[in-house]
Amino acid sequence: FKEEGYKTSIFRVGELPVMSKKHWQKHAFGQSSGTPQPLSGPYRVKNFVLGSHIELERVENFWAKDHPVYQGMFNFDLVRIEFYRDRTVAFEAFKSGGLDFWIEYVSKNWATAYDFPAIKNGQIIKEAIPHTIPSGTQAFFMNTRRELFQDLNVRKALSLLFDYHWINKNIFSSAYKRSQTHYPNSIMGSRGLPSELELKKLGPFKHQLPPGTLDQEFSFPSYENPKQLRQATRQAVRLLRQSGWEYKNSKLVNSKTGAPFQFEILIDSPSFQRVLLPYVNQMKKAGIEADIRIVDPAQYKVRLDSFDFDMTVDVLPQSASPGNEQSIYFHSNQVDVRGSRNLSGISNPVVDELLKQINLAKSQQELVATVRALDRVLLWNYYMIPNWHLDYHRLAYKNRFKRPNNPATMSLGFQTWWIDSEN
């Protein structure tokens, strides 16, 4: 805490859970011992069956029961969490009344799977609750350690060829919003033109920034009709031509070496292939050969740790108050650190300086401006292609629940719900 940026360190330490030293001296941390650890919160483990369920009972003499922060919270005497190996089976259990509360993660299910009797007769309520929880940075990460992706024109061209609008409409049932920032659903994300404070942060580096950073609003295009996509494809081809790529025999090749423009997209989820295939097909129209490589999670982790990929899909967790973790994501000193989260291999002195200023920010206003300035630099350099996010909870629950009229917007706040005695 004596170093610069100590305030950010205090934030991070404050997020750590309190655990029993005595318990973990007896049990190997990270391994399942079958012995519940002591808890200091409002609930304790009553009973459990590994792989089946766990029951939590309310602690009547909870040490902070009367603290003003906790008033109106923790209203359930018993909470039972059921575990299923298959979400389809779990959803059927919910539909038949075996579960009380369900969070939906699959957009297709949200659009098509809630036409069953309990919904129609009002026994189960389906509800979308808006929130302002910052979303993670989910994106296609281009590995600039590879020579192919070191050219800004190449990265921008690949971004232009991504038809998010079609994918959202045809695969996600129009459920998501396109992320126009590395900090989606957060006040930290850049928007519009740079503010005066952002310009103050970016001004000293104006000769090191891509054109448009200081005087244009950044946005990824949305192709709502085929004409817009064709125009974007032609723009992408022009950018690639400027960087020495030419179209020959339906393929894009390097004008000097004759090498084809080809790369591999690494993923560990077969289900994500359906999202990537339209993107791959669109790149093919521009003469680019992109192959999807699916590996098991263990191999995926090994290859990410050693940066053995061309492009991949991942999520960088984000909080309401960005801090030290941003350096792990974007700082040049993480480029060669095995297992670092700087997946794109970003090595940019402007980014490094802004990361330092984030940790030294002395006010919320300064922090927001600095993160937005960083966001602009990352966006205009096209290190990654941000994906999509949700700004609402997709919930279904039995009508026995009640919740506050003015719910929390930065969390689901399920701990503030209660059971309606009349139901």
Side-chain angles (χ1 to χ4, degrees):
F1 297 123
K2 294 180 180 179
E3 298 179 358
E4 289 184 324
Y6 69 93
K7 291 183 179 179
T8 301
S9 299
I10 291 176
F11 266 119
R12 298 290 85 87
V13 171
E15 295 172 344
L16 294 173
V18 177
M19 295 187 179
S20 166
K21 178 179 179 180
K22 183 177 180 181
H23 174 85
W24 291 112
Q25 286 176 332
K26 297 179 180 178
H27 303 283
F29 190 80
Q31 296 182 12
S32 178
S33 66
T35 303
Q37 63 166 309
L39 305 177
S40 59
Y43 287 92
R44 59 173 163 252
V45 177
K46 182 179 181 181
N47 59 60
F48 66 96
V49 175
L50 290 176
S52 172
H53 66 271
I54 183 171
E55 288 186 352
L56 305 173
E57 63 177 355
R58 186 164 59 167
V59 178
E60 291 297 333
N61 61 344
F62 170 49
W63 65 274
K65 181 177 64 173
D66 298 324
H67 195 287
V69 170
Y70 291 114
Q71 297 310 296
M73 294 188 183
F74 315 121
N75 303 305
F76 305 119
D77 292 328
L78 185 70
V79 178
R80 180 183 172 104
I81 302 171
E82 298 277 356
F83 297 93
Y84 290 82
R85 292 179 181 271
D86 190 310
R87 278 191 64 85
T88 302
V89 176
F91 187 58
E92 291 301 317
F94 172 70
K95 288 166 60 177
S96 64
L99 302 173
D100 297 319
F101 184 85
W102 181 263
I103 301 177
E104 184 57 72
Y105 297 108
V106 181
S107 57
K108 182 180 179 181
N109 289 351
W110 186 248
T112 63
Y114 287 81
D115 185 23
F116 52 91
I119 289 281
K120 295 178 179 179
N121 62 28
Q123 290 181 321
I124 290 180
I125 298 171
K126 177 190 176 188
E127 187 174 15
I129 302 178
H131 67 69
T132 58
I133 303 171
S135 295
T137 307
Q138 178 174 319
F140 301 141
F141 292 83
M142 290 173 274
N143 188 358
T144 61
R145 300 171 185 85
R146 300 281 203 261
E147 184 178 355
L148 179 64
F149 298 114
Q150 291 174 3
D151 190 302
L152 175 58
N153 282 347
V154 169
R155 300 196 299 270
K156 183 176 181 179
L158 292 176
S159 177
L160 287 169
L161 293 170
F162 177 54
D163 186 2
Y164 163 77
H165 182 79
W166 189 95
I167 292 173
N168 190 42
K169 179 180 178 181
N170 294 279
I171 296 180
F172 298 144
S173 303
S174 300
Y176 293 98
K177 286 187 176 181
R178 176 72 193 270
S179 297
Q180 298 283 352
T181 166
H182 297 85
Y183 306 91
N185 208 38
S186 169
I187 62 171
M188 299 293 171
S190 61
R191 60 207 63 192
L193 295 173
S195 65
E196 290 186 12
L197 190 50
E198 288 175 68
L199 290 173
K200 184 178 179 181
K201 297 285 184 182
L202 294 170
F205 313 106
K206 60 182 179 181
H207 298 301
Q208 299 169 261
L209 301 173
T213 306
L214 298 178
D215 57 7
Q216 294 181 32
E217 178 180 357
F218 185 94
S219 66
F220 291 103
S222 177
Y223 311 127
E224 299 183 12
N225 61 65
K227 180 181 178 181
Q228 292 173 310
L229 180 57
R230 288 194 297 269
Q231 291 173 340
T233 302
R234 286 194 290 268
Q235 182 184 355
V237 171
R238 285 196 298 269
L239 287 169
L240 292 168
R241 191 179 296 121
Q242 292 172 17
S243 294
W245 296 92
E246 55 184 359
Y247 198 72
K248 285 185 177 181
N249 301 321
S250 301
K251 290 187 178 181
L252 207 62
V253 298
N254 189 288
S255 57
K256 294 182 179 179
T257 65
F261 192 122
Q262 59 184 22
F263 66 93
E264 182 181 88
I265 306 175
L266 183 70
I267 59 174
D268 67 344
S269 172
S271 64
F272 204 83
Q273 188 174 17
R274 67 190 181 115
V275 178
L276 287 173
L277 282 174
Y279 183 33
V280 169
N281 291 335
Q282 186 59 36
M283 286 190 285
K284 188 175 182 180
K285 294 178 182 178
I288 298 171
E289 298 179 43
D291 298 317
I292 302 173
R293 179 67 182 274
I294 306 172
V295 298
D296 62 73
Q299 186 180 355
Y300 180 77
K301 178 70 166 59
V302 170
R303 290 189 60 173
L304 249 61
D305 284 351
S306 57
F307 312 115
D308 182 19
F309 64 91
D310 299 325
M311 177 186 286
T312 192
V313 183
D314 203 5
V315 182
L316 303 176
Q318 298 291 359
S319 71
S321 182
N324 293 329
E325 76 287 343
Q326 302 303 307
S327 293
I328 298 174
Y329 300 159
F330 307 126
H331 201 284
S332 61
N333 65 15
Q334 297 293 306
V335 170
D336 298 319
V337 177
R338 179 180 175 83
S340 88
R341 300 304 301 275
N342 187 349
L343 298 176
S344 290
I346 300 169
S347 181
N348 186 320
V350 180
V351 171
D352 289 351
E353 177 58 31
L354 291 171
L355 289 169
K356 178 182 178 181
Q357 292 183 29
I358 285 174
N359 292 330
L360 296 177
K362 296 181 179 180
S363 68
Q364 176 75 355
Q365 181 185 20
E366 183 181 0
L367 176 62
V368 171
T370 310
V371 176
R372 288 182 178 179
L374 170 66
D375 189 32
R376 291 184 193 278
V377 176
L378 295 173
L379 288 169
W380 283 97
N381 277 282
Y382 291 90
Y383 292 118
M384 59 203 80
I385 307 173
N387 291 171
W388 45 83
H389 67 280
L390 275 181
D391 59 359
Y392 59 93
H393 302 287
R394 295 183 291 207
L395 307 178
Y397 52 90
K398 289 183 179 178
N399 64 2
R400 61 196 299 237
F401 290 106
K402 292 291 183 180
R403 61 184 179 85
N405 293 327
N406 298 307
T409 59
M410 290 290 286
S411 72
L412 173 58
F414 188 64
Q415 68 270 27
T416 65
W417 292 33
W418 66 92
I419 298 291
D420 183 359
S421 57
E422 295 182 1
N423 289 330

